[in-house]
Amino acid sequence: MENIILKKVELNELELLQDISRLTFTQTFAEVNSPENLQNFLDKAFSVPQLSEELQDPNVEYYFSEIEQNVIGYLKINFGTSQTELQDDNAIEIERIYVLEEYLGKKVGQKLYDFAIKRARETSKEYVWLGVWEENSRAINFYKKQGFQVFGKHFFILGDDFQTDILMKKIINLP
């Protein structure tokens, strides 16, 4: 899709970020999680206070992907101490790439991913890392095709369900 625009999310777009976050997460994971666990996660991770704090954090960047001024997906990347695990100044974390169901397979996720890699290079990072649910084969295969390697695992808590994420990284700049 040629007409995809990426733009940084501003604090005054918090409700729009909340809406796309809740919708895409639900589309991706509702079938494989209990409604209670899903709702618990949505209420915590995508609350107004949580998103407001993240949007004001200088080490967190959110970007919308848009077509004709309609948000169809988003990216969240973390730097420094705002990374969820490694908190390595030589890395950035891709915490979220989500795309509306109807745009899956149309290169929207690829464009968001490419932008994350560009930001890592612009900021002279050595590598990019992320966590992906071990049951999300679509995402795992996407990242493997991009050159990511598995380097560990961690738990991701969704409501009262402890799930295992595979940690993956890709070297982009050698020191």
Side-chain angles (χ1 to χ4, degrees), residues 50-64:
Q50 180 63 39
L51 291 175
S52 177
E53 180 181 320
E54 292 172 2
L55 284 168
Q56 295 178 72
D57 183 337
N59 287 320
V60 174
E61 295 179 2
Y62 276 99
Y63 295 89
F64 285 142

Side-chain angles (χ1 to χ4, degrees), residues 1-4 20 23-24 27 65-74 98-112 138:
M1 303 187 86
E2 304 286 322
N3 52 350
I4 299 169
I20 192 75
L23 179 56
T24 54
Q27 288 178 340
S65 57
E66 298 180 344
I67 293 180
E68 298 174 8
Q69 298 181 337
N70 294 310
V71 175
I72 60 169
Y74 76 100
Y98 284 98
V99 176
L100 290 172
E101 217 168 45
E102 59 266 35
Y103 291 95
L104 291 175
K106 297 184 178 180
K107 305 292 184 200
V108 179
Q110 182 71 53
K111 188 157 186 164
L112 290 165
R138 179 186 184 108

